[in-house]
Amino acid sequence: MTPHPPNPLPDVTVIGIGADGWDGLAPASRDALGAAHVVIGGARQLALLPAVCDVERVAWPTPLRPAVPVLLEAHRGRRIAVLASGDPMFYGIGRTLTEVLGVPPRVLPHPSSLSHACARLGWAVEETEVVTVVGRPLGRIAAALHDGRRLLVLSAGADTPADVAALLRDRGFGPSRMRVLERLGAEDERCVEGVADGWDLPPGDALNVIAVHCRRAPDALRLGAAPGLPDAAYEHDGQLTKRHIRAATLGALAPAPGELLWDVGGGSGSIAVEWMRTHPSCRAFTVERDPVRAGRIARNADRLGVPALRVVTGAAPAALAQLPTPDAVFIGGGLTAPGLLAACWDALPVGGRLVANTVTLESEALLAEWYRRRGGELVRLAVAHAVPVGGFTGWRQAMPVTQWCVTKSSDRSSGPIDLAPDPDPSPGAAT
């Protein structure tokens, strides 16, 4: 019996279109639309096609992502044109189609909103940071706020400019200049501007991008780009990895783009927050057994620009069972909970990193035994602060922190370690 050949991939061409519609399309894009049997797109994009483009039109349903494979399969064997706003590979449908098809479709890009906006503003594209809030939390903007930086926000609608202005005021960037560029590329393109502190303009067109020239208020807390944010940046109840220890801990964890962290014994969430702030693609789960602290972690994450931080409320190691495989694990509290360290170690793949901090002798003994068996680095971190002593100045020593840092390798990953002292009286003390 001759086997049947596999079904061919759908014939898909993705066409970028701007607010100028048909008139702004290149000849290759017009030809692709003319040759298509069906055109799929958003209602606004389909409305830009003239009557002369006589082809079946199908609007994307909501939610979009689950509908993509269904519609492609429904039109298999036909030439499909997919309309996208601007550059389909810039926060557009092109990425989703590539994931669904398994191979990149043919893509005919149009200038993106980023290119249009930077051309109007005179901003260099490579020096302009972009944050999208389309289907994403507004709090993501906070991680990109630095004095003097130029930022473009891809808007979710007509109300987004006012929401951005309110966030800027709340985060200490009220003096920032804002320009809202509407319907870029169209004949009725418009730009309105103002300062976040006094923003009172009514909602305009839903198709807009927001340009922000960041200016920090003189009395606002300065937050740098490197790990080790001021302790005052966090809401906490004392369960906080302090600034200098936090910077050393993030250095040991060595986050890289796209990596996933488990932060076990989250406390105030500072390690997970600053892990995610190192790169927009970094991800983290923080595990905290106290619901009050878990809520506090979520607020810290939103305020500091990483609202995608996942907070798991529960006791480890049981709460770790359903989490995806981590690239790195930080244990900041509860080290002597039965099975915790072993569960974290077993979850790591070869090449994964584990960092554990403690201030108690019992947990230090456990780390010393793991260090003896697994290797890595065992260090003691001590920080002292200058404080008034009468009319003079002296040093006040903080509790020293013992830190074990290790990379899992195949030749040092076998055999259990049974040493398990009584549980710490105050899990999370090192955080």
Side-chain angles (χ1 to χ4, degrees):
M1 178 182 292
T2 303
H4 293 291
N7 289 332
L9 290 171
D11 182 358
V12 179
T13 299
V14 190
I15 301 163
I17 190 169
D20 48 355
W22 182 263
D23 291 341
L25 291 177
S29 297
R30 294 187 183 186
D31 290 345
L33 285 167
H37 296 126
V38 59
V39 178
I40 305 174
R44 179 181 59 79
Q45 297 149 354
L46 293 173
L48 294 171
L49 299 181
V52 69
C53 185
D54 185 17
V55 63
E56 181 183 353
R57 307 181 188 193
V58 177
W60 290 116
T62 301
L64 185 149
R65 183 62 173 82
V68 172
V70 176
L71 281 180
L72 293 183
E73 184 60 34
H75 295 284
R76 183 181 290 273
R78 308 176 75 192
R79 287 189 296 272
I80 302 171
V82 175
L83 285 179
S85 294
D87 185 345
M89 302 306 294
F90 181 67
Y91 292 106
I93 191 66
R95 174 178 175 176
T96 300
L97 288 169
T98 299
E99 293 171 351
V100 170
L101 294 171
V103 295
R106 182 188 182 206
V107 177
L108 301 175
H110 189 274
S112 67
S113 57
L114 169 64
S115 297
H116 274 301
C118 286
R120 305 296 188 274
L121 298 165
W123 291 2
V125 173
E126 71 274 12
E127 295 178 0
T128 301
E129 188 158 1
V130 179
V131 178
T132 180
V133 296
V134 179
R136 296 170 174 85
L138 190 75
R140 300 175 76 246
I141 297 171
L145 298 179
H146 299 284
D147 198 34
R149 291 293 292 169
R150 292 168 170 173
L151 175 67
L152 273 183
V153 179
L154 305 185
S155 176
D159 294 327
T160 303
D163 294 337
V164 170
L167 182 141
L168 291 171
R169 293 192 297 269
D170 182 66
R171 302 306 197 272
F173 280 79
S176 300
R177 181 186 182 191
M178 292 175 52
R179 282 174 279 187
V180 181
L181 300 101
E182 300 176 347
R183 298 184 55 76
L184 284 164
E187 290 185 0
D188 58 349
E189 177 182 310
R190 186 176 79 129
C191 177
V192 296
E193 65 178 275
V195 174
D197 269 337
W199 190 267
D200 59 358
L201 297 176
D205 195 275
L207 186 62
N208 69 80
V209 296
I210 305 156
V212 181
H213 195 178
C214 299
R215 289 286 180 239
R216 181 169 53 88
D219 58 346
L221 188 66
R222 184 181 184 279
L223 304 180
L229 298 182
D231 294 345
Y234 292 93
E235 178 188 348
H236 65 90
D237 61 358
Q239 296 298 304
L240 174 73
T241 302
K242 301 303 189 291
R243 182 179 193 173
H244 300 91
I245 301 299
R246 192 185 328 128
T249 300
L250 267 295
L253 286 167
E259 289 191 326
L260 173 67
L261 172 74
W262 287 3
D263 176 11
V264 183
S268 300
S270 63
I271 295 295
V273 165
E274 295 191 30
W275 167 280
M276 291 184 66
R277 280 176 60 95
T278 63
H279 194 272
S281 65
C282 283
R283 299 162 295 139
F285 284 81
T286 185
V287 179
E288 172 54 55
R289 67 182 185 181
D290 184 332
V292 174
R293 287 178 181 160
R296 190 178 291 123
I297 291 170
R299 292 193 296 274
N300 283 330
D302 183 70
R303 183 162 188 81
L304 293 170
V306 289
L309 172 61
R310 300 287 296 276
V311 182
V312 177
T313 305
L320 306 175
Q322 302 303 316
L323 301 187
T325 300
D327 298 288
V329 175
F330 171 66
I331 306 175
L335 263 171
T336 57
L340 173 59
L341 194 46
C344 292
W345 180 261
D346 291 342
L348 280 172
V350 172
R353 289 97 62 204
L354 187 148
V355 176
N357 290 358
T358 187
V359 296
T360 70
L361 294 176
E362 291 78 9
S363 291
E364 185 178 275
L366 180 61
L367 292 184
E369 179 62 16
W370 277 80
Y371 166 70
R372 184 183 70 81
R373 296 284 298 274
R374 308 296 190 215
E377 291 183 294
L378 191 65
V379 299
R380 177 165 290 176
L381 306 172
V383 177
H385 295 272
V387 297
V389 179
F392 298 93
T393 304
W395 293 107
R396 175 171 294 165
Q397 185 77 41
M399 292 183 70
V401 175
T402 299
Q403 181 180 92
W404 181 47
C405 174
V406 64
T407 298
K408 187 173 181 178
S409 58
S410 57
D411 61 335
R412 300 185 68 93
S413 59
S414 61
I417 293 178
D418 297 324
L419 180 65
D422 292 335
D424 285 342
S426 55
T431 63

